[in-house]
Every structure is written in structure tokens, then in C-alpha cells.
Amino acid sequence: MFCRGAETRVWFAGWRHGVVWAAVRNGELPAGVGRLSVRGPGRHAARVPETPTTSVPSRRALLRTLGGGALLGALAGCGVPAAYIAPGDRAAPDRSAIDKRLTWANWPLYIDTDDENPNSRPTLEAFERRTGISVDYVEEINDNDEFFGKISPALMNHRQTGRDLIVISDWMCARFVRLGWVQEMDRARQPNVTRYLDPLLTSPAFDPGRTFTVPWQSGITGIAYNRRKLGREIRHVSDLWASDLKGRVTLLSGLDEAFALLMQGNGVDITRWTADDFHTVCDQVERHVRSGQIRRFTGNDYTKDLVGGDVLACQAYSGDVIQLQADNPDIRFVVPEEGAELWAESLMIPNLARHKANAERLIDYYYRPEVAAELAAWVNYVCPVPAAQDVLASAEDRETAALAEDPLIFPDAAMRERLAIARDITAGERSQFAKRWNGIVGM
């Protein structure tokens, strides 16, 4: 049974894609959460900042410009050994057969929890009972670049990270794969992944066939808008530039988050975009900033502008909109006719992990349709296991069964035809592209 129960829930901006959940009990909020506008049992409310904020280039965007590939290149120039690890040097003796445990690093609140006990994770505990494998589940990833900085010294110096399994965004996964910092998985131990992984997610450019990565959850970057206040439908990316939306549009501030949808609006195949395609988009966005068409650039705080009515249309993540619609059915999410970006946050096994087989077994467990369904009912992202849809549809709880028909969890055939995974930005491109994009965001 996948019913969430009736406790008050709130959502607030947490990371690149979608919503971080928090259960509110007796008026208590997790540390670091600001005042919240709560609108009744079982509903969802936007975070209200303690003080007014202005949108500036994020620390993450600056880290991308100054860190990552540039940092590794600088270290190599100072005599530090090259960061790339050859395939033959990535594995350590696997202790899985004699040591029934593993350590898993994930984002906060990115797994199902028990309504009565937020420290209880039903699907994970079921795995432990089923296999006898103990899982040390650590919610330590709050930012892709920050986590990269935390574990890169160990990986580039061929030391253990202390983690057997990690979950990060695919654009960052690409960096790990190219550096040789993660191990190829043994699909013989993962029959469910082989059978049930969504075909749309099987071959990103950085990891054809998903030999190093397996999607944990997925989502869509599209357009959200208020249908009642705007008074018309949005069907194309170019609709954002209409005169009746002047000063009422926001775009995402992150380079990796923003560029693909805008390219698709120009008819670009984002699986093979070029530098010229990127600079064309930058020219267009710069022009719309100067004209006042774009109100500002945002992180996940675009939801506040959309709910408050200051913004009528914006770049948005599908997971956010599901929650906004619970309070305001006038808010719509559209995959433009030109297409939208499909993304994922994926599981990887770092080099020298001591419990590789145990980690592979856990990954495969979450690809059992009944387990994927239970997780999807909780997190409300695009489920990477389409077979979970039938499981949810058969749920006794009516609200849970209705999730099976939500195209933002299980995209329908027409929507799937318009989704694509963007080619990631390479290390050689990142510094130049980030400098140009961040210059526009900071205008």
C-alpha cells in the first residue's frame, strides 16, 4: 500500500530537479527551513524566505566556472598526477560475500519514509530484510559541485571514498565517467535493470548503454504557466517572448539546467548540439534581458514567483509543478511542441568501493516494478521504471492509483516522442560557456 497518510506536508526548493519533502509534526520544521505557509492537512505550501532575496549567480554556477575540469587542469599543471584512472585500476577486492553491508550517499528526503516515523524508510528496510544486507544510508549530498569537491581528492589520488553507492545529476555523472572514477556495473547481477529501465534513459551521450550509471529518478525541464491569469495556452518556447508576457517570464539561472530547452525552441537536436547553437541561444537570451522580457533568473525559487502571480510563465521542473497543482489547478506544465529535456539523477559505484556486488544488488532491487511504484508514489518524479505504472494503477487507495495517470510521473506516448536527453557540456567547453552564460545571468 502506497498511501502517504494525512500529515501536513510542505515542499521547498532543495536541489536541481524538483522538490525536497519535509513532514511537519506538531509545528516542528527541519533545521534550516524558513517560515512556511501551511494550508491544511495533506496540502503543499511554498517556502517563504525569512528575508527578501535577489537572484544572483549561484555558488554552484561559480564553482562550475572555476572548479571541476579547470581545477583538475590547474592541479595537473602544478605537478599533481593526472586525475584520470585507467579501467584496470578502479576495482578493489570485493568484500560483499563476507561483509553484508554497504554505504549509500544520497540527497536529503529523496526516498520514501514512514508517515509515523520519518527515520524509517520502508523500501530500504524491506531490502535489508530480504537480503540480509545492512545499508548505511547517508543524506549528505546537497549540491553536485560541493559533493564533487568532497570526494574528488580521494578519487583522483586512488583512495577509497568510504561510499559504495552515490546519486548525482547526470551532467555531473558525465564528469565522473570521463575521469574514470566509477566502476562498470555487472548487468548479470541486475536483471531488473536490464528488463525494466525506461528505453528513453538507456543511452545518454556520456554513458551509452548505461554501463556506469543507472537512473534513480528522472524528470523534465519544460514550461510552467498560470492558464487562468495568462488567458491562453502556451505551446511553444517562443511563446515566452510574446508581448503580453513582458517582464513576467523567468528562466533558470544554472547553465546545465537552462540551455537545452531554449535550444529545442530553435529546432536543435539537443543530443548533438554545437557551440554555434549555444551562442545563438545566448544571443537571444541577452536580447530578451535587455528588452525587459525576462524578469529575472532563478533557482528553484521560481515557484514563489509563479504562485504569487509576479510571473506568468517560466522554465520549470516537472516535479515542482505536480506539487504546485495540488493547491492551484490553474498552473499548467507543458512540454513544448519542439520538445523538452529529459534528465536523471543516477546511481554510480565509485572506484575502490568495497561492497560493489551488494550495491549492484540494491540498485536492481529498486528496479522491481512494485518497489519502483512505492518510491514513485512518494517522490512524484518521472519514474524510470514504466512497468511501475500498472502497479500503481491497481492500488486500493484512490489518490495513489490516480498517480498512474499523471503524465509528469509516467509520460504518455505523445509526450515521450518530444523528450530527449541533452548532450552534456564537455570539460573543454565548460569554462568558456559558463563565462558567457553567467555574464548574461548577472546583467
Side-chain angles (χ1 to χ4, degrees), residues 247-308:
R248 311 295 292 277
V249 173
T250 61
L251 298 181
L252 295 168
S253 60
L255 169 60
D256 295 88
E257 291 82 357
F259 77 89
L261 180 72
L262 301 174
M263 284 186 186
Q264 287 169 300
N266 292 335
V268 173
D269 178 356
I270 60 171
T271 67
R272 55 181 68 189
W273 58 271
T274 67
D276 286 342
D277 297 325
F278 174 78
H279 289 297
T280 296
V281 162
C282 287
D283 291 342
Q284 293 169 333
V285 173
E286 188 169 5
R287 184 169 66 251
H288 292 306
V289 170
R290 294 188 184 280
S291 72
Q293 185 75 20
I294 296 172
R295 183 182 185 90
R296 70 185 186 109
F297 294 86
T298 72
N300 288 63
D301 55 334
Y302 69 83
T303 55
K304 175 173 61 70
D305 292 341
L306 187 61
V307 169

Short mmCIF file of all heavy atoms in Angstrom, two decimals, residues 247-308:
data_model
loop_
_atom_site.label_atom_id
_atom_site.label_comp_id
_atom_site.label_asym_id
_atom_site.label_seq_id
_atom_site.Cartn_x
_atom_site.Cartn_y
_atom_site.Cartn_z
N GLY A 247 8.26 41.12 -18.95
CA GLY A 247 8.52 41.30 -17.53
C GLY A 247 7.87 40.28 -16.64
O GLY A 247 7.96 40.39 -15.40
N ARG A 248 7.26 39.25 -17.22
CA ARG A 248 6.55 38.24 -16.42
C ARG A 248 7.09 36.84 -16.68
O ARG A 248 6.40 35.84 -16.42
CB ARG A 248 5.04 38.26 -16.74
CG ARG A 248 4.40 39.63 -16.72
CD ARG A 248 4.38 40.27 -15.36
NE ARG A 248 3.51 39.61 -14.42
CZ ARG A 248 2.18 39.83 -14.33
NH1 ARG A 248 1.59 40.66 -15.18
NH2 ARG A 248 1.46 39.21 -13.41
N VAL A 249 8.33 36.76 -17.19
CA VAL A 249 8.97 35.48 -17.53
C VAL A 249 10.25 35.32 -16.72
O VAL A 249 11.01 36.28 -16.55
CB VAL A 249 9.30 35.42 -19.04
CG1 VAL A 249 10.12 34.18 -19.38
CG2 VAL A 249 8.03 35.46 -19.87
N THR A 250 10.50 34.10 -16.23
CA THR A 250 11.80 33.80 -15.62
C THR A 250 12.40 32.59 -16.31
O THR A 250 11.70 31.70 -16.79
CB THR A 250 11.69 33.52 -14.11
OG1 THR A 250 10.84 32.39 -13.88
CG2 THR A 250 11.14 34.72 -13.36
N LEU A 251 13.74 32.58 -16.33
CA LEU A 251 14.50 31.42 -16.80
C LEU A 251 15.35 30.90 -15.66
O LEU A 251 15.66 31.63 -14.72
CB LEU A 251 15.40 31.81 -17.98
CG LEU A 251 14.74 32.33 -19.25
CD1 LEU A 251 15.82 32.62 -20.31
CD2 LEU A 251 13.71 31.35 -19.79
N LEU A 252 15.76 29.65 -15.76
CA LEU A 252 16.63 29.06 -14.76
C LEU A 252 18.03 29.65 -14.89
O LEU A 252 18.53 29.90 -15.99
CB LEU A 252 16.66 27.55 -14.92
CG LEU A 252 15.32 26.86 -14.65
CD1 LEU A 252 15.36 25.41 -15.11
CD2 LEU A 252 14.94 26.95 -13.18
N SER A 253 18.67 29.86 -13.75
CA SER A 253 19.98 30.52 -13.76
C SER A 253 21.12 29.56 -14.08
O SER A 253 22.15 29.98 -14.60
CB SER A 253 20.25 31.18 -12.41
OG SER A 253 20.23 30.23 -11.36
N GLY A 254 20.98 28.29 -13.77
CA GLY A 254 22.04 27.33 -13.98
C GLY A 254 22.25 27.02 -15.45
O GLY A 254 21.28 26.75 -16.18
N LEU A 255 23.48 27.04 -15.89
CA LEU A 255 23.78 26.76 -17.29
C LEU A 255 23.26 25.39 -17.71
O LEU A 255 22.57 25.27 -18.73
CB LEU A 255 25.29 26.86 -17.50
CG LEU A 255 25.85 26.34 -18.84
CD1 LEU A 255 25.24 27.10 -20.00
CD2 LEU A 255 27.37 26.49 -18.84
N ASP A 256 23.59 24.36 -16.95
CA ASP A 256 23.20 23.00 -17.32
C ASP A 256 21.68 22.82 -17.29
O ASP A 256 21.14 21.97 -18.00
CB ASP A 256 23.85 21.99 -16.38
CG ASP A 256 25.36 21.97 -16.52
OD1 ASP A 256 26.02 22.76 -15.82
OD2 ASP A 256 25.87 21.19 -17.32
N GLU A 257 21.00 23.61 -16.48
CA GLU A 257 19.56 23.48 -16.35
C GLU A 257 18.80 24.20 -17.47
O GLU A 257 17.70 23.80 -17.84
CB GLU A 257 19.10 24.06 -15.00
CG GLU A 257 19.52 23.25 -13.79
CD GLU A 257 20.94 23.53 -13.34
OE1 GLU A 257 21.64 24.33 -13.99
OE2 GLU A 257 21.35 22.94 -12.33
N ALA A 258 19.38 25.28 -17.99
CA ALA A 258 18.61 26.19 -18.85
C ALA A 258 18.76 25.95 -20.34
O ALA A 258 17.81 26.12 -21.10
CB ALA A 258 19.00 27.63 -18.52
N PHE A 259 19.96 25.57 -20.80
CA PHE A 259 20.27 25.74 -22.22
C PHE A 259 19.49 24.81 -23.14
O PHE A 259 19.11 25.20 -24.25
CB PHE A 259 21.77 25.59 -22.47
CG PHE A 259 22.28 24.17 -22.48
CD1 PHE A 259 22.30 23.44 -23.66
CD2 PHE A 259 22.73 23.56 -21.31
CE1 PHE A 259 22.77 22.14 -23.68
CE2 PHE A 259 23.19 22.27 -21.33
CZ PHE A 259 23.21 21.54 -22.51
N ALA A 260 19.21 23.57 -22.70
CA ALA A 260 18.66 22.58 -23.63
C ALA A 260 17.28 22.97 -24.13
O ALA A 260 16.99 22.91 -25.33
CB ALA A 260 18.62 21.21 -22.95
N LEU A 261 16.38 23.35 -23.23
CA LEU A 261 15.02 23.72 -23.64
C LEU A 261 15.05 24.89 -24.62
O LEU A 261 14.28 24.91 -25.60
CB LEU A 261 14.18 24.07 -22.41
CG LEU A 261 12.73 24.46 -22.71
CD1 LEU A 261 11.93 23.23 -23.13
CD2 LEU A 261 12.08 25.11 -21.48
N LEU A 262 15.91 25.86 -24.36
CA LEU A 262 15.98 27.02 -25.24
C LEU A 262 16.50 26.63 -26.62
O LEU A 262 16.03 27.15 -27.64
CB LEU A 262 16.87 28.09 -24.62
CG LEU A 262 16.41 28.60 -23.24
CD1 LEU A 262 17.43 29.55 -22.65
CD2 LEU A 262 15.04 29.26 -23.34
N MET A 263 17.44 25.71 -26.68
CA MET A 263 17.90 25.21 -27.97
C MET A 263 16.78 24.48 -28.71
O MET A 263 16.63 24.62 -29.93
CB MET A 263 19.08 24.25 -27.78
CG MET A 263 20.38 24.92 -27.47
SD MET A 263 21.70 23.68 -27.42
CE MET A 263 23.08 24.68 -26.86
N GLN A 264 16.01 23.69 -27.96
CA GLN A 264 14.91 22.96 -28.60
C GLN A 264 13.91 23.92 -29.22
O GLN A 264 13.32 23.63 -30.27
CB GLN A 264 14.23 22.05 -27.58
CG GLN A 264 15.07 20.83 -27.23
CD GLN A 264 14.54 20.06 -26.03
OE1 GLN A 264 14.43 20.61 -24.94
NE2 GLN A 264 14.20 18.80 -26.24
N GLY A 265 13.73 25.07 -28.59
CA GLY A 265 12.85 26.08 -29.18
C GLY A 265 13.33 26.57 -30.53
O GLY A 265 12.54 27.07 -31.34
N ASN A 266 14.63 26.41 -30.79
CA ASN A 266 15.21 26.78 -32.09
C ASN A 266 15.25 25.60 -33.05
O ASN A 266 15.85 25.71 -34.13
CB ASN A 266 16.62 27.33 -31.89
CG ASN A 266 16.63 28.65 -31.17
OD1 ASN A 266 15.66 29.40 -31.19
ND2 ASN A 266 17.74 28.96 -30.50
N GLY A 267 14.67 24.48 -32.65
CA GLY A 267 14.66 23.31 -33.52
C GLY A 267 15.93 22.50 -33.49
O GLY A 267 16.16 21.65 -34.36
N VAL A 268 16.77 22.70 -32.47
CA VAL A 268 18.05 22.00 -32.37
C VAL A 268 17.84 20.60 -31.79
O VAL A 268 17.06 20.41 -30.85
CB VAL A 268 19.03 22.80 -31.48
CG1 VAL A 268 20.30 22.00 -31.21
CG2 VAL A 268 19.35 24.14 -32.14
N ASP A 269 18.55 19.63 -32.34
CA ASP A 269 18.61 18.28 -31.75
C ASP A 269 19.59 18.34 -30.59
O ASP A 269 20.80 18.42 -30.79
CB ASP A 269 19.08 17.28 -32.81
CG ASP A 269 19.22 15.86 -32.26
OD1 ASP A 269 19.02 15.65 -31.05
OD2 ASP A 269 19.54 14.96 -33.06
N ILE A 270 19.07 18.33 -29.36
CA ILE A 270 19.94 18.55 -28.20
C ILE A 270 20.83 17.36 -27.89
O ILE A 270 21.72 17.45 -27.05
CB ILE A 270 19.14 18.94 -26.95
CG1 ILE A 270 18.13 17.83 -26.56
CG2 ILE A 270 18.45 20.28 -27.15
CD1 ILE A 270 17.47 18.07 -25.21
N THR A 271 20.66 16.26 -28.58
CA THR A 271 21.58 15.14 -28.39
C THR A 271 22.90 15.38 -29.12
O THR A 271 23.87 14.67 -28.88
CB THR A 271 20.97 13.82 -28.90
OG1 THR A 271 20.81 13.87 -30.33
CG2 THR A 271 19.61 13.56 -28.26
N ARG A 272 22.92 16.41 -30.00
CA ARG A 272 24.14 16.66 -30.78
C ARG A 272 24.32 18.15 -31.07
O ARG A 272 24.75 18.54 -32.16
CB ARG A 272 24.11 15.86 -32.08
CG ARG A 272 22.86 16.11 -32.93
CD ARG A 272 22.87 15.28 -34.20
NE ARG A 272 22.73 13.88 -33.90
CZ ARG A 272 22.87 12.90 -34.79
NH1 ARG A 272 23.17 13.18 -36.04
NH2 ARG A 272 22.71 11.64 -34.44
N TRP A 273 24.02 18.98 -30.10
CA TRP A 273 24.12 20.43 -30.28
C TRP A 273 25.58 20.86 -30.43
O TRP A 273 26.50 20.16 -30.04
CB TRP A 273 23.45 21.18 -29.14
CG TRP A 273 24.00 20.88 -27.77
CD1 TRP A 273 23.59 19.89 -26.91
CD2 TRP A 273 25.07 21.56 -27.10
NE1 TRP A 273 24.34 19.91 -25.76
CE2 TRP A 273 25.24 20.92 -25.84
CE3 TRP A 273 25.88 22.64 -27.43
CZ2 TRP A 273 26.20 21.35 -24.92
CZ3 TRP A 273 26.84 23.06 -26.51
CH2 TRP A 273 26.99 22.42 -25.27
N THR A 274 25.75 22.05 -30.99
CA THR A 274 27.09 22.58 -31.27
C THR A 274 27.33 23.89 -30.52
O THR A 274 26.41 24.49 -29.95
CB THR A 274 27.27 22.85 -32.77
OG1 THR A 274 26.40 23.93 -33.15
CG2 THR A 274 26.92 21.61 -33.59
N ALA A 275 28.57 24.36 -30.57
CA ALA A 275 28.90 25.65 -29.95
C ALA A 275 28.11 26.78 -30.60
O ALA A 275 27.68 27.72 -29.91
CB ALA A 275 30.40 25.91 -30.06
N ASP A 276 27.89 26.70 -31.89
CA ASP A 276 27.10 27.73 -32.58
C ASP A 276 25.67 27.76 -32.03
O ASP A 276 25.09 28.84 -31.86
CB ASP A 276 27.07 27.48 -34.08
CG ASP A 276 28.39 27.82 -34.76
OD1 ASP A 276 29.20 28.54 -34.14
OD2 ASP A 276 28.61 27.34 -35.89
N ASP A 277 25.10 26.58 -31.77
CA ASP A 277 23.75 26.51 -31.19
C ASP A 277 23.72 27.19 -29.82
O ASP A 277 22.77 27.91 -29.49
CB ASP A 277 23.30 25.05 -31.04
CG ASP A 277 23.18 24.32 -32.36
OD1 ASP A 277 22.78 24.96 -33.34
OD2 ASP A 277 23.47 23.11 -32.39
N PHE A 278 24.76 26.97 -29.03
CA PHE A 278 24.83 27.58 -27.71
C PHE A 278 24.89 29.10 -27.81
O PHE A 278 24.16 29.81 -27.12
CB PHE A 278 26.03 27.04 -26.95
CG PHE A 278 26.26 27.72 -25.62
CD1 PHE A 278 25.50 27.38 -24.51
CD2 PHE A 278 27.22 28.71 -25.50
CE1 PHE A 278 25.68 28.03 -23.31
CE2 PHE A 278 27.42 29.36 -24.30
CZ PHE A 278 26.66 29.02 -23.18
N HIS A 279 25.74 29.61 -28.65
CA HIS A 279 25.91 31.06 -28.74
C HIS A 279 24.68 31.73 -29.36
O HIS A 279 24.35 32.87 -29.01
CB HIS A 279 27.18 31.40 -29.52
CG HIS A 279 28.43 31.09 -28.76
ND1 HIS A 279 28.76 31.72 -27.58
CD2 HIS A 279 29.43 30.19 -28.99
CE1 HIS A 279 29.90 31.25 -27.12
NE2 HIS A 279 30.33 30.31 -27.95
N THR A 280 23.96 31.01 -30.22
CA THR A 280 22.70 31.54 -30.74
C THR A 280 21.70 31.75 -29.61
O THR A 280 21.02 32.78 -29.53
CB THR A 280 22.11 30.60 -31.80
OG1 THR A 280 22.99 30.54 -32.92
CG2 THR A 280 20.75 31.09 -32.27
N VAL A 281 21.59 30.75 -28.73
CA VAL A 281 20.70 30.88 -27.58
C VAL A 281 21.14 32.04 -26.69
O VAL A 281 20.30 32.84 -26.23
CB VAL A 281 20.67 29.55 -26.77
CG1 VAL A 281 20.13 29.78 -25.36
CG2 VAL A 281 19.83 28.52 -27.49
N CYS A 282 22.42 32.16 -26.44
CA CYS A 282 22.90 33.26 -25.60
C CYS A 282 22.57 34.61 -26.21
O CYS A 282 22.17 35.55 -25.49
CB CYS A 282 24.40 33.14 -25.38
SG CYS A 282 24.88 31.80 -24.26
N ASP A 283 22.71 34.74 -27.52
CA ASP A 283 22.37 35.99 -28.19
C ASP A 283 20.89 36.31 -27.98
O ASP A 283 20.51 37.47 -27.70
CB ASP A 283 22.66 35.90 -29.69
CG ASP A 283 24.15 35.84 -30.01
OD1 ASP A 283 24.97 36.20 -29.12
OD2 ASP A 283 24.50 35.41 -31.13
N GLN A 284 20.04 35.29 -28.11
CA GLN A 284 18.60 35.50 -27.95
C GLN A 284 18.26 35.91 -26.52
O GLN A 284 17.50 36.86 -26.30
CB GLN A 284 17.85 34.23 -28.32
CG GLN A 284 17.93 33.87 -29.79
CD GLN A 284 17.40 32.47 -30.08
OE1 GLN A 284 17.42 31.59 -29.22
NE2 GLN A 284 16.93 32.26 -31.31
N VAL A 285 18.80 35.19 -25.56
CA VAL A 285 18.50 35.48 -24.16
C VAL A 285 19.01 36.86 -23.78
O VAL A 285 18.32 37.63 -23.09
CB VAL A 285 19.11 34.39 -23.24
CG1 VAL A 285 18.94 34.76 -21.77
CG2 VAL A 285 18.45 33.04 -23.51
N GLU A 286 20.19 37.21 -24.23
CA GLU A 286 20.74 38.53 -23.93
C GLU A 286 19.82 39.63 -24.48
O GLU A 286 19.58 40.65 -23.81
CB GLU A 286 22.14 38.65 -24.52
CG GLU A 286 22.87 39.91 -24.12
CD GLU A 286 24.34 39.88 -24.49
OE1 GLU A 286 24.76 38.91 -25.16
OE2 GLU A 286 25.05 40.82 -24.12
N ARG A 287 19.29 39.41 -25.66
CA ARG A 287 18.38 40.39 -26.25
C ARG A 287 17.10 40.53 -25.42
O ARG A 287 16.61 41.65 -25.18
CB ARG A 287 18.03 39.97 -27.69
CG ARG A 287 17.16 40.98 -28.43
CD ARG A 287 17.08 40.64 -29.91
NE ARG A 287 16.38 39.38 -30.16
CZ ARG A 287 16.98 38.27 -30.57
NH1 ARG A 287 18.29 38.25 -30.77
NH2 ARG A 287 16.28 37.16 -30.80
N HIS A 288 16.58 39.41 -24.93
CA HIS A 288 15.35 39.45 -24.14
C HIS A 288 15.58 40.01 -22.74
O HIS A 288 14.67 40.58 -22.13
CB HIS A 288 14.73 38.06 -24.06
CG HIS A 288 14.19 37.56 -25.36
ND1 HIS A 288 13.27 38.28 -26.11
CD2 HIS A 288 14.43 36.42 -26.07
CE1 HIS A 288 12.97 37.61 -27.21
NE2 HIS A 288 13.66 36.47 -27.20
N VAL A 289 16.79 39.87 -22.23
CA VAL A 289 17.12 40.52 -20.95
C VAL A 289 17.15 42.03 -21.14
O VAL A 289 16.57 42.80 -20.35
CB VAL A 289 18.48 40.02 -20.41
CG1 VAL A 289 18.92 40.88 -19.22
CG2 VAL A 289 18.37 38.56 -19.99
N ARG A 290 17.79 42.49 -22.19
CA ARG A 290 17.92 43.93 -22.44
C ARG A 290 16.56 44.58 -22.71
O ARG A 290 16.33 45.74 -22.34
CB ARG A 290 18.87 44.19 -23.62
CG ARG A 290 20.31 43.79 -23.34
CD ARG A 290 21.24 44.22 -24.45
NE ARG A 290 22.61 43.77 -24.23
CZ ARG A 290 23.47 44.35 -23.41
NH1 ARG A 290 23.09 45.45 -22.75
NH2 ARG A 290 24.70 43.88 -23.28
N SER A 291 15.66 43.82 -23.33
CA SER A 291 14.34 44.38 -23.65
C SER A 291 13.39 44.38 -22.46
O SER A 291 12.32 44.99 -22.53
CB SER A 291 13.70 43.58 -24.79
OG SER A 291 13.28 42.30 -24.33
N GLY A 292 13.77 43.69 -21.38
CA GLY A 292 12.89 43.60 -20.22
C GLY A 292 11.90 42.46 -20.28
O GLY A 292 11.03 42.33 -19.41
N GLN A 293 11.99 41.62 -21.31
CA GLN A 293 11.07 40.48 -21.41
C GLN A 293 11.27 39.50 -20.26
O GLN A 293 10.31 38.97 -19.70
CB GLN A 293 11.29 39.76 -22.75
CG GLN A 293 10.31 38.63 -23.03
CD GLN A 293 8.93 39.14 -23.41
OE1 GLN A 293 8.78 40.29 -23.82
NE2 GLN A 293 7.91 38.31 -23.27
N ILE A 294 12.54 39.23 -19.92
CA ILE A 294 12.86 38.30 -18.84
C ILE A 294 12.94 39.08 -17.54
O ILE A 294 13.73 40.02 -17.41
CB ILE A 294 14.19 37.58 -19.13
CG1 ILE A 294 14.05 36.72 -20.39
CG2 ILE A 294 14.61 36.72 -17.94
CD1 ILE A 294 15.35 36.13 -20.88
N ARG A 295 12.13 38.68 -16.58
CA ARG A 295 12.08 39.37 -15.29
C ARG A 295 13.35 39.14 -14.49
O ARG A 295 13.94 40.07 -13.95
CB ARG A 295 10.86 38.88 -14.51
CG ARG A 295 10.65 39.58 -13.16
CD ARG A 295 9.45 38.98 -12.43
NE ARG A 295 9.13 39.67 -11.21
CZ ARG A 295 8.31 40.70 -11.12
NH1 ARG A 295 7.71 41.16 -12.23
NH2 ARG A 295 8.07 41.28 -9.97
N ARG A 296 13.76 37.87 -14.41
CA ARG A 296 14.98 37.53 -13.68
C ARG A 296 15.33 36.07 -13.96
O ARG A 296 14.58 35.33 -14.60
CB ARG A 296 14.83 37.76 -12.17
CG ARG A 296 13.90 36.81 -11.44
CD ARG A 296 13.73 37.22 -9.98
NE ARG A 296 12.97 36.25 -9.21
CZ ARG A 296 13.47 35.45 -8.27
NH1 ARG A 296 14.77 35.48 -8.01
NH2 ARG A 296 12.70 34.60 -7.61
N PHE A 297 16.48 35.66 -13.44
CA PHE A 297 16.92 34.26 -13.50
C PHE A 297 16.79 33.69 -12.09
O PHE A 297 17.07 34.37 -11.11
CB PHE A 297 18.35 34.16 -14.00
CG PHE A 297 18.52 34.59 -15.43
CD1 PHE A 297 18.73 35.94 -15.73
CD2 PHE A 297 18.47 33.69 -16.46
CE1 PHE A 297 18.88 36.36 -17.04
CE2 PHE A 297 18.63 34.09 -17.77
CZ PHE A 297 18.83 35.43 -18.06
N THR A 298 16.41 32.43 -12.00
CA THR A 298 16.08 31.85 -10.70
C THR A 298 16.72 30.49 -10.50
O THR A 298 17.13 29.82 -11.44
CB THR A 298 14.56 31.67 -10.55
OG1 THR A 298 14.13 30.58 -11.39
CG2 THR A 298 13.80 32.92 -10.93
N GLY A 299 16.77 30.09 -9.23
CA GLY A 299 16.97 28.69 -8.88
C GLY A 299 15.59 28.09 -8.75
O GLY A 299 14.66 28.43 -9.50
N ASN A 300 15.41 27.20 -7.77
CA ASN A 300 14.09 26.62 -7.56
C ASN A 300 13.08 27.62 -7.01
O ASN A 300 11.89 27.31 -6.91
CB ASN A 300 14.18 25.43 -6.59
CG ASN A 300 14.84 24.23 -7.21
OD1 ASN A 300 15.99 24.30 -7.59
ND2 ASN A 300 14.11 23.13 -7.33
N ASP A 301 13.52 28.83 -6.69
CA ASP A 301 12.61 29.82 -6.14
C ASP A 301 11.65 30.39 -7.18
O ASP A 301 10.82 31.25 -6.86
CB ASP A 301 13.38 30.94 -5.44
CG ASP A 301 14.41 31.61 -6.33
OD1 ASP A 301 14.90 30.96 -7.27
OD2 ASP A 301 14.74 32.78 -6.07
N TYR A 302 11.71 29.93 -8.43
CA TYR A 302 10.73 30.37 -9.41
C TYR A 302 9.32 30.02 -8.98
O TYR A 302 8.34 30.66 -9.39
CB TYR A 302 11.03 29.75 -10.79
CG TYR A 302 10.80 28.27 -10.87
CD1 TYR A 302 9.54 27.73 -11.09
CD2 TYR A 302 11.86 27.36 -10.72
CE1 TYR A 302 9.34 26.36 -11.17
CE2 TYR A 302 11.67 26.01 -10.80
CZ TYR A 302 10.41 25.51 -11.02
OH TYR A 302 10.20 24.14 -11.08
N THR A 303 9.18 28.98 -8.16
CA THR A 303 7.85 28.56 -7.72
C THR A 303 7.16 29.67 -6.94
O THR A 303 5.94 29.85 -7.06
CB THR A 303 7.95 27.30 -6.86
OG1 THR A 303 8.84 27.52 -5.76
CG2 THR A 303 8.48 26.13 -7.68
N LYS A 304 7.92 30.41 -6.14
CA LYS A 304 7.34 31.51 -5.36
C LYS A 304 6.78 32.59 -6.27
O LYS A 304 5.67 33.10 -6.05
CB LYS A 304 8.41 32.08 -4.43
CG LYS A 304 7.99 33.30 -3.64
CD LYS A 304 9.05 33.69 -2.62
CE LYS A 304 10.38 34.05 -3.27
NZ LYS A 304 10.29 35.35 -4.01
N ASP A 305 7.53 32.94 -7.32
CA ASP A 305 7.07 33.97 -8.25
C ASP A 305 5.81 33.52 -8.99
O ASP A 305 4.90 34.32 -9.23
CB ASP A 305 8.17 34.28 -9.27
CG ASP A 305 9.37 34.97 -8.65
OD1 ASP A 305 9.22 35.52 -7.55
OD2 ASP A 305 10.45 34.95 -9.26
N LEU A 306 5.78 32.25 -9.37
CA LEU A 306 4.64 31.74 -10.13
C LEU A 306 3.39 31.68 -9.27
O LEU A 306 2.30 32.08 -9.69
CB LEU A 306 4.98 30.36 -10.69
CG LEU A 306 3.97 29.73 -11.66
CD1 LEU A 306 3.79 30.61 -12.90
CD2 LEU A 306 4.42 28.33 -12.06
N VAL A 307 3.52 31.20 -8.05
CA VAL A 307 2.39 31.11 -7.13
C VAL A 307 1.89 32.50 -6.77
O VAL A 307 0.68 32.75 -6.70
CB VAL A 307 2.78 30.32 -5.86
CG1 VAL A 307 1.69 30.46 -4.79
CG2 VAL A 307 3.00 28.85 -6.19
N GLY A 308 2.81 33.44 -6.56
CA GLY A 308 2.43 34.78 -6.16
C GLY A 308 1.85 35.63 -7.28
O GLY A 308 1.27 36.69 -7.03
#
